[in-house]
Amino acid sequence: MGFQQTHETNQVLLSKIAISDGHGEDSPYFDGWKAYDNDPFHPENNPSGVIQMGLAENQLSPDLLVDWIKKHPKASICTDEGLLNFKDIANFQDYHGLPEFRNAIASFMGKARGGRVKFDPSRIVMGGGATGASEAVIFCLADPGDAFLIPSPYYAAFDRDLQWRTRAQIIPVHCNSSNNFQITREALEVAYKKAEESNIKVKGLIITNPSNPLGTIYDRDTLKSLVNFVNDNNIHLVCDEIYCATVFKSPSFISIAEIIEEMDHCKKELIHILSSLSKDMELPGFRVGILYSYNDTVVSIARKMSSFGLVSSQTQHLLAAMLSDDEFVDNFLVENSKRLAKRHARFTKELEKMGITCLNGNAGLFVWMDLRKLLKDQSFESEMELWRVIINEVKLNVSPGSSFRVTEPGWFRVCFANMDDNTVDVALGRIHSFVGKIDKKENNTIPMPPKKKPRENKLRLSFSFSGRRYEEGNVLKSPHMMSPHSPLVRAKT
Amino acid sequence: MGFQQTHETNQVLLSKIAISDGHGEDSPYFDGWKAYDNDPFHPENNPSGVIQMGLAENQLSPDLLVDWIKKHPKASICTDEGLLNFKDIANFQDYHGLPEFRNAIASFMGKARGGRVKFDPSRIVMGGGATGASEAVIFCLADPGDAFLIPSPYYAAFDRDLQWRTRAQIIPVHCNSSNNFQITREALEVAYKKAEESNIKVKGLIITNPSNPLGTIYDRDTLKSLVNFVNDNNIHLVCDEIYCATVFKSPSFISIAEIIEEMDHCKKELIHILSSLSKDMELPGFRVGILYSYNDTVVSIARKMSSFGLVSSQTQHLLAAMLSDDEFVDNFLVENSKRLAKRHARFTKELEKMGITCLNGNAGLFVWMDLRKLLKDQSFESEMELWRVIINEVKLNVSPGSSFRVTEPGWFRVCFANMDDNTVDVALGRIHSFVGKIDKKENNTIPMPPKKKPRENKLRLSFSFSGRRYEEGNVLKSPHMMSPHSPLVRAKT
């Protein structure tokens, strides 16, 4: 790149979307990724680099996937056994998807939700990852200006996925620690009425279950209450269930699909489910997003929108074979859940030893870590100060609660499943040392190390762990001094 | 599917996009595909079925692709040789794309355009097929209501791709046979002024080069004149070059990239190129669309939009290896071009023997067939009558000119590269017999065969040839009687 282009010229020539910051990348959530990309940790080559704990990726069971592929060469169109299918598959671009792919996805969705409910392959609509699928459902449901209620904290990139190009808007319904961040019907009613009074048309409610960033799941009563809420107001309920197979301890996950089967009075055409293989099957690169809608028109229209982001037929073909192998899927789900449980238990127990607690969760690839006691005061400025120390000095990319639109400062989302055991050890060691330093300092400030030049991007390193990388040339803001308080000291008071 | 859902309820609950027909599928272009899908030709199983000549797919050189893959097992992540890369690739979701993929795409884009111009990998932006990439560039350039001039006839699905979700609008600039459907600066100026007078903001000009549906390419002078036009009016030029490697005889293809290097005064930031591997490399199922922009902001913003339709990392990895093999790519481009030339020559010569001429083209996977002499009168009603006979009686799915927004009735786009030699023979035989019947009939009408029930969809059959299939339950309108005139009879008069 590098033509001389004036910013002012572009402002006139491009769309409002292009010159706005609706993509949402100007947030600490993404700044943390840039910090990681500028100085990525590597055990030998860069042991003092930033450890990526801002990326909700599951990397605990690739061996199971690799084993299966090794044993099933015919599932690929690039092996001697599978090449016969190459021409047909390479030419396949039907937006319904390969019939065997849709069947396998429907079967997988059932298994990943405990096997208590069946999914109809004819309602499976492909999207370009959950990102594309979630944008598509909004395009189907909302006109520009229409709103969706979303309990906060919520996934940091929803602002981009649901608002940016659709021109719909999110109305956060704030939850807080007083009841473990649970949403209530009362809070929804208040938000709904307030919106209507402001002449904003509320088109639906969107939840993530399991919750990102909380790592918790919704119970049966709450889900029923949400269905009643949308029924009563005749608005939609979009359930983002892309983490449903990451539930690693009891209680079991309950899908909205199960709930609506149980309820006598339910307008099914208001219910839509988002699913994916990125978290549940550790395949984010394969870009499999699924919209499962109980609304016939939404199925038909969203399928037409699939053309903007179909899953590669090469990938559909492989996954059709893999996900229709019942024994493999059953085993993978059990084993992966065990590994997540083990990692989660180890991580949270070590944190507890240091006096750091997390919201009690049983799902997801992250914990919702409570560092309120480390804040200078209970403000988001203090949260950002603490975050800058963590990322610049402790060298951990964790995501501050503010990027998830929470209203209570001091919470951080910390991902624990996107690294190996050794990297977890290093991360825990750094946290331990950080907490220790705070305890030892009488003036409660953290010493700043000498500034050093950020390393050049190492692409080969970065792409294996990083999610999306961000624009070259973006640099993290300089670290600021701050004065966190030790959780231990506070805990004693 | 099959809940009872009232149409009226949905109208209220869904978006205007969802309840409009902006997806553009209610057109004979797509009806023809449905007709094919309901009764697909197969040499043994259904020899009297509809032959798909409405699908611009290149199926002439799969053997070259298969050979390469056989020799390069390491390029796949599903072979013993390549499995080592599985974990890293399956986790890779960076919206910049694999560095080696971007490099390979840039190199391929240069080769496919005659090797006279270089492309910068940092300007390569991925999209979900050309469909996703072209929507993304419109989102970057236009606000709702903004317009783009497009010479007509143009690609039938542009209405969906460029207008539907972006809410931008297309203003066709009509071309006709008097100058072989070439666009002129004068016609553009008239259309531009008329739009401005109607208070419509024209944001750019979009061309397909090689042209779909014409099968022709733009010459150097015309391209320079178009660049001057956008320069003078300070609007964008989007060049859809997804057929650039299908040029099979002279003159050579000239990319806009070459033109702007030659011109002294050119605002490069107004120029954007769309590219793809669907036509050039026969890989439509792999969903590789590329936006190459000379505008830094568009590159940056469109890349953020990539998240809605990234190319599967499995596919990126394979193509990175394949397209960086210079010898293979060079050979493929030459050989594929030869095969297209041969097929095109055979097809057009046989048509000529029957008195049917086509616009003189040298590119694309289709001919622009002149059946004006077969029309009862020079109206689109007559065009549709003729089309219904062709699809229902001759059993060929060709696409009527009206679906490409041409203003002159009687032209049809006929695809010739998506079938084997035997199917071409059957298709030519049917045309021959059709023309013969017309000659023999004194009253110049075609006898209607007894109606028969449409066959059930055969998914395994349909997906190998069909592009996108359309909603179940849609049925083609009943055939109507019509009275075409023989091209031979007319030609003699």
Side-chain angles (χ1 to χ4, degrees), chain B residues 32 41 72 95 132 153 170 223 226 305 371 379 393 406-407 491:
Chain B
F41 170 81
H72 297 84
Y95 62 27
I170 291 173
L223 288 170
L226 299 183
M305 292 183 186
L371 295 187
S379 72
E393 310 313 325
V406 72
T407 50

PDB file of all heavy atoms in Angstrom, chain B residues 32 41 72 95 132 153 170 223 226 305 371 379 393 406-407 491:
ATOM      1  N   GLY B  32     -35.322 -20.463 -14.799  1.00  0.00           N
ATOM      2  CA  GLY B  32     -34.681 -21.454 -15.655  1.00  0.00           C
ATOM      3  C   GLY B  32     -33.896 -22.477 -14.846  1.00  0.00           C
ATOM      4  O   GLY B  32     -33.876 -23.672 -15.152  1.00  0.00           O
ATOM      5  N   PHE B  41     -31.152 -32.982 -16.855  1.00  0.00           N
ATOM      6  CA  PHE B  41     -30.666 -33.926 -17.865  1.00  0.00           C
ATOM      7  C   PHE B  41     -29.593 -34.837 -17.288  1.00  0.00           C
ATOM      8  O   PHE B  41     -28.735 -34.406 -16.516  1.00  0.00           O
ATOM      9  CB  PHE B  41     -30.060 -33.137 -19.046  1.00  0.00           C
ATOM     10  CG  PHE B  41     -29.316 -33.979 -20.034  1.00  0.00           C
ATOM     11  CD1 PHE B  41     -30.007 -34.695 -21.018  1.00  0.00           C
ATOM     12  CD2 PHE B  41     -27.921 -34.073 -20.002  1.00  0.00           C
ATOM     13  CE1 PHE B  41     -29.315 -35.481 -21.938  1.00  0.00           C
ATOM     14  CE2 PHE B  41     -27.235 -34.858 -20.919  1.00  0.00           C
ATOM     15  CZ  PHE B  41     -27.926 -35.561 -21.886  1.00  0.00           C
ATOM     16  N   HIS B  72       0.797 -33.186  -5.044  1.00  0.00           N
ATOM     17  CA  HIS B  72       1.185 -32.293  -3.942  1.00  0.00           C
ATOM     18  C   HIS B  72       0.371 -32.566  -2.682  1.00  0.00           C
ATOM     19  O   HIS B  72      -0.385 -31.703  -2.212  1.00  0.00           O
ATOM     20  CB  HIS B  72       1.014 -30.827  -4.369  1.00  0.00           C
ATOM     21  CG  HIS B  72       1.899 -30.436  -5.502  1.00  0.00           C
ATOM     22  ND1 HIS B  72       1.564 -30.679  -6.825  1.00  0.00           N
ATOM     23  CD2 HIS B  72       3.123 -29.859  -5.529  1.00  0.00           C
ATOM     24  CE1 HIS B  72       2.533 -30.244  -7.612  1.00  0.00           C
ATOM     25  NE2 HIS B  72       3.495 -29.748  -6.861  1.00  0.00           N
ATOM     26  N   TYR B  95      -8.487 -11.985   9.503  1.00  0.00           N
ATOM     27  CA  TYR B  95      -9.168 -11.486   8.303  1.00  0.00           C
ATOM     28  C   TYR B  95      -8.230 -10.921   7.247  1.00  0.00           C
ATOM     29  O   TYR B  95      -8.680 -10.516   6.171  1.00  0.00           O
ATOM     30  CB  TYR B  95     -10.316 -10.545   8.648  1.00  0.00           C
ATOM     31  CG  TYR B  95     -10.018  -9.252   9.377  1.00  0.00           C
ATOM     32  CD1 TYR B  95      -8.808  -8.591   9.292  1.00  0.00           C
ATOM     33  CD2 TYR B  95     -11.022  -8.648  10.149  1.00  0.00           C
ATOM     34  CE1 TYR B  95      -8.592  -7.401   9.947  1.00  0.00           C
ATOM     35  CE2 TYR B  95     -10.815  -7.450  10.807  1.00  0.00           C
ATOM     36  CZ  TYR B  95      -9.582  -6.827  10.697  1.00  0.00           C
ATOM     37  OH  TYR B  95      -9.370  -5.636  11.332  1.00  0.00           O
ATOM     38  N   GLY B 132     -19.887 -11.885  -2.221  1.00  0.00           N
ATOM     39  CA  GLY B 132     -19.594 -11.175  -0.982  1.00  0.00           C
ATOM     40  C   GLY B 132     -18.658  -9.999  -1.189  1.00  0.00           C
ATOM     41  O   GLY B 132     -18.825  -8.934  -0.592  1.00  0.00           O
ATOM     42  N   PRO B 153     -26.557  -4.867 -21.290  1.00  0.00           N
ATOM     43  CA  PRO B 153     -26.902  -5.916 -20.338  1.00  0.00           C
ATOM     44  C   PRO B 153     -25.808  -6.144 -19.299  1.00  0.00           C
ATOM     45  O   PRO B 153     -24.629  -6.022 -19.585  1.00  0.00           O
ATOM     46  CB  PRO B 153     -27.056  -7.149 -21.228  1.00  0.00           C
ATOM     47  CG  PRO B 153     -26.192  -6.887 -22.417  1.00  0.00           C
ATOM     48  CD  PRO B 153     -26.322  -5.415 -22.650  1.00  0.00           C
ATOM     49  N   ILE B 170     -28.921   0.635  -8.716  1.00  0.00           N
ATOM     50  CA  ILE B 170     -28.259   0.511 -10.011  1.00  0.00           C
ATOM     51  C   ILE B 170     -29.010   1.364 -11.031  1.00  0.00           C
ATOM     52  O   ILE B 170     -30.234   1.311 -11.094  1.00  0.00           O
ATOM     53  CB  ILE B 170     -28.275  -0.964 -10.479  1.00  0.00           C
ATOM     54  CG1 ILE B 170     -27.362  -1.824  -9.593  1.00  0.00           C
ATOM     55  CG2 ILE B 170     -27.860  -1.070 -11.947  1.00  0.00           C
ATOM     56  CD1 ILE B 170     -27.462  -3.322  -9.881  1.00  0.00           C
ATOM     57  N   LEU B 223     -11.437   1.786 -22.160  1.00  0.00           N
ATOM     58  CA  LEU B 223     -11.080   1.765 -20.737  1.00  0.00           C
ATOM     59  C   LEU B 223     -10.526   3.122 -20.305  1.00  0.00           C
ATOM     60  O   LEU B 223     -10.872   3.639 -19.232  1.00  0.00           O
ATOM     61  CB  LEU B 223     -10.065   0.647 -20.454  1.00  0.00           C
ATOM     62  CG  LEU B 223     -10.646  -0.780 -20.508  1.00  0.00           C
ATOM     63  CD1 LEU B 223      -9.529  -1.819 -20.453  1.00  0.00           C
ATOM     64  CD2 LEU B 223     -11.635  -1.026 -19.368  1.00  0.00           C
ATOM     65  N   LEU B 226     -13.244   5.517 -19.886  1.00  0.00           N
ATOM     66  CA  LEU B 226     -14.003   5.298 -18.648  1.00  0.00           C
ATOM     67  C   LEU B 226     -13.256   5.873 -17.443  1.00  0.00           C
ATOM     68  O   LEU B 226     -13.861   6.469 -16.544  1.00  0.00           O
ATOM     69  CB  LEU B 226     -14.276   3.803 -18.431  1.00  0.00           C
ATOM     70  CG  LEU B 226     -15.106   3.093 -19.502  1.00  0.00           C
ATOM     71  CD1 LEU B 226     -15.367   1.644 -19.118  1.00  0.00           C
ATOM     72  CD2 LEU B 226     -16.427   3.813 -19.759  1.00  0.00           C
ATOM     73  N   MET B 305     -14.821  -5.974   6.930  1.00  0.00           N
ATOM     74  CA  MET B 305     -16.053  -6.640   6.482  1.00  0.00           C
ATOM     75  C   MET B 305     -15.802  -8.092   6.077  1.00  0.00           C
ATOM     76  O   MET B 305     -16.742  -8.890   6.003  1.00  0.00           O
ATOM     77  CB  MET B 305     -16.667  -5.890   5.294  1.00  0.00           C
ATOM     78  CG  MET B 305     -17.207  -4.530   5.656  1.00  0.00           C
ATOM     79  SD  MET B 305     -18.004  -3.732   4.237  1.00  0.00           S
ATOM     80  CE  MET B 305     -18.343  -2.099   4.937  1.00  0.00           C
ATOM     81  N   LEU B 371     -31.499 -14.344 -31.280  1.00  0.00           N
ATOM     82  CA  LEU B 371     -32.696 -15.036 -31.783  1.00  0.00           C
ATOM     83  C   LEU B 371     -33.793 -14.033 -32.136  1.00  0.00           C
ATOM     84  O   LEU B 371     -34.985 -14.361 -32.133  1.00  0.00           O
ATOM     85  CB  LEU B 371     -33.220 -16.039 -30.741  1.00  0.00           C
ATOM     86  CG  LEU B 371     -32.329 -17.228 -30.377  1.00  0.00           C
ATOM     87  CD1 LEU B 371     -33.073 -18.206 -29.474  1.00  0.00           C
ATOM     88  CD2 LEU B 371     -31.826 -17.965 -31.625  1.00  0.00           C
ATOM     89  N   SER B 379     -40.777  -7.664 -29.041  1.00  0.00           N
ATOM     90  CA  SER B 379     -41.211  -7.278 -27.690  1.00  0.00           C
ATOM     91  C   SER B 379     -40.671  -8.293 -26.687  1.00  0.00           C
ATOM     92  O   SER B 379     -40.304  -9.409 -27.054  1.00  0.00           O
ATOM     93  CB  SER B 379     -42.738  -7.267 -27.620  1.00  0.00           C
ATOM     94  OG  SER B 379     -43.217  -8.603 -27.649  1.00  0.00           O
ATOM     95  N   GLU B 393     -39.904 -27.087 -24.046  1.00  0.00           N
ATOM     96  CA  GLU B 393     -40.022 -28.051 -25.140  1.00  0.00           C
ATOM     97  C   GLU B 393     -38.656 -28.498 -25.656  1.00  0.00           C
ATOM     98  O   GLU B 393     -38.399 -29.686 -25.808  1.00  0.00           O
ATOM     99  CB  GLU B 393     -40.850 -27.454 -26.286  1.00  0.00           C
ATOM    100  CG  GLU B 393     -42.187 -26.853 -25.852  1.00  0.00           C
ATOM    101  CD  GLU B 393     -42.951 -27.780 -24.920  1.00  0.00           C
ATOM    102  OE1 GLU B 393     -42.882 -29.003 -25.098  1.00  0.00           O
ATOM    103  OE2 GLU B 393     -43.594 -27.271 -23.967  1.00  0.00           O
ATOM    104  N   VAL B 406     -31.322  -5.958 -20.668  1.00  0.00           N
ATOM    105  CA  VAL B 406     -31.052  -5.394 -21.989  1.00  0.00           C
ATOM    106  C   VAL B 406     -32.361  -4.769 -22.480  1.00  0.00           C
ATOM    107  O   VAL B 406     -33.449  -5.167 -22.053  1.00  0.00           O
ATOM    108  CB  VAL B 406     -30.541  -6.496 -22.951  1.00  0.00           C
ATOM    109  CG1 VAL B 406     -31.649  -7.450 -23.359  1.00  0.00           C
ATOM    110  CG2 VAL B 406     -29.858  -5.902 -24.170  1.00  0.00           C
ATOM    111  N   THR B 407     -32.262  -3.785 -23.373  1.00  0.00           N
ATOM    112  CA  THR B 407     -33.490  -3.117 -23.838  1.00  0.00           C
ATOM    113  C   THR B 407     -33.966  -3.634 -25.189  1.00  0.00           C
ATOM    114  O   THR B 407     -35.001  -3.233 -25.689  1.00  0.00           O
ATOM    115  CB  THR B 407     -33.272  -1.596 -23.956  1.00  0.00           C
ATOM    116  OG1 THR B 407     -32.077  -1.372 -24.697  1.00  0.00           O
ATOM    117  CG2 THR B 407     -33.173  -0.964 -22.592  1.00  0.00           C
ATOM    118  N   ALA B 491     -33.889 -15.391 -42.565  1.00  0.00           N
ATOM    119  CA  ALA B 491     -32.595 -15.033 -43.142  1.00  0.00           C
ATOM    120  C   ALA B 491     -32.667 -14.941 -44.670  1.00  0.00           C
ATOM    121  O   ALA B 491     -31.933 -14.185 -45.282  1.00  0.00           O
ATOM    122  CB  ALA B 491     -31.544 -16.055 -42.735  1.00  0.00           C
TER     123      ALA B 491
END
